Amino acid sequence: MGDRAYAPASKPVPVRATNGTANGGAGGPPRPAPPSVLPGGRVPPPPMYRPKPAQSRPPPRRPRRSARGWCCACCLWLTLVLVGLVLLGAIAAGVFYVVYRPQPPSFAVTSLRLAALNVSDSDALTSRIDFTVTARNPNEKIAFAYGDMAASFAADGAPLGDGVVPGFLHAAGNTTVIRGAASATAATIDPVQAAALRSRKSHAMSAEMDAKVGFQIGRFKSKRINVRVLCAGFSAGLAKPTPPPAPAPAPDAEPTVVVAASPAPARGRAPRSVVRTSSSSSPSSSSGGGKMTPTDAKCKVRIKIWIWSF
């Protein structure tokens, strides 16, 4: 047979493998996919570069004050305000003192009568006291307005009686005579004090008067505050009964009239008026009789604000 000639074999066409290998070759990184072709055989342009917008920076934060700093600032301002108020009050008080020269009123128990005193075997006390208190206002431009005054008396430390004197206006430069009465009815006292009252004829007395007082300057009226008057250092005994009054003179007898001339006032100074005030029960209507015993017991005035006394 004759020899047959064969055409040379063409080169093998590479086959793209889906698992990353081609023609049994070794594995390698996958090749990028060819760019998609637009109609007409054109290659799409690369994507445009768009720079990112610059981010705006937040404003710097102020450092916050701690709670301790706020507390110190509040304490400082509060101290300054208090110091300012104290200075203003001191200046106002100084001006007020220079202009008006205020002085406290003075009190004195000028007379007292123990009209009745009875202590029963069961230590029940029944008593009655008639008293006279003189109040003086040394101020020339300041008046005092007193509310109802509660008076209480004690003898040898035992409570002897209570009474109320109606309020009054104590004018500037005025002397006021206060007459009142205090009593107790079947009040139980301590047995030791009851024995002391039975055994003694003269008793060491003390008085305590409480009232709300405000001052007045012209039309200005202040708020009333509690004032306590303490009196001690005087004694009293049971008053003797008063003898019956003398019979009236005969109609044909000529009546006797006594006229007392008042002293002339000092020159350059206005005379001070004397005002008398009395409680609801006058001393003349009390039982037991007897004259008022003059005393010279000085009293101390105490101003009471809440729980403090000055």
Side-chain angles (χ1 to χ4, degrees), residues 175-190:
T175 299
T176 303
V177 178
I178 306 169
R179 293 180 179 177
S183 61
T185 304
T188 304
I189 60 175
D190 186 80

Side-chain angles (χ1 to χ4, degrees), residues 47 91 102-103 121-122 138-139 149 153 161 195 198 200 203 206 224 230 234 239 255 265 278 302:
I91 293 173
Q103 298 180 17
D121 296 337
S122 59
N139 301 280
M149 184 177 296
F153 287 81
R198 293 193 196 98
R200 298 175 183 175
H203 308 280
S206 63
R224 296 188 178 185
L230 303 175
F234 59 101
S278 61
R302 294 287 183 266

Side-chain angles (χ1 to χ4, degrees), residues 17 20 25 44 54-55 67 83 90 134 156 165 176 191 242 247 264 309:
Q55 297 181 356
V83 170
T134 302
D156 300 326
V165 177
T176 303
T242 306
S309 297

Side-chain angles (χ1 to χ4, degrees), residues 39-133:
R42 293 180 302 171
V43 178
M48 296 178 62
Y49 173 73
R50 295 181 179 180
K52 295 182 179 180
Q55 297 181 356
S56 60
R57 296 182 179 181
R61 294 183 179 179
R62 296 181 180 180
R64 294 183 178 179
R65 289 187 178 182
S66 61
R68 183 177 181 182
W70 282 110
C71 183
C72 293
C74 291
C75 291
L76 178 60
W77 280 106
L78 182 61
T79 303
L80 292 177
V81 170
L82 291 178
V83 170
L85 293 178
V86 170
L87 290 177
L88 291 177
I91 293 173
V95 173
F96 179 82
Y97 179 81
V98 170
V99 174
Y100 294 100
R101 300 285 180 177
Q103 298 180 17
S106 61
F107 293 83
V109 179
T110 53
S111 61
L112 183 138
R113 180 166 66 99
L114 187 56
L117 178 61
N118 183 20
V119 182
S120 64
D121 296 337
S122 59
D123 301 333
L125 173 67
T126 301
S127 64
R128 179 182 174 83
I129 303 171
D130 299 326
F131 61 91
T132 302
V133 177

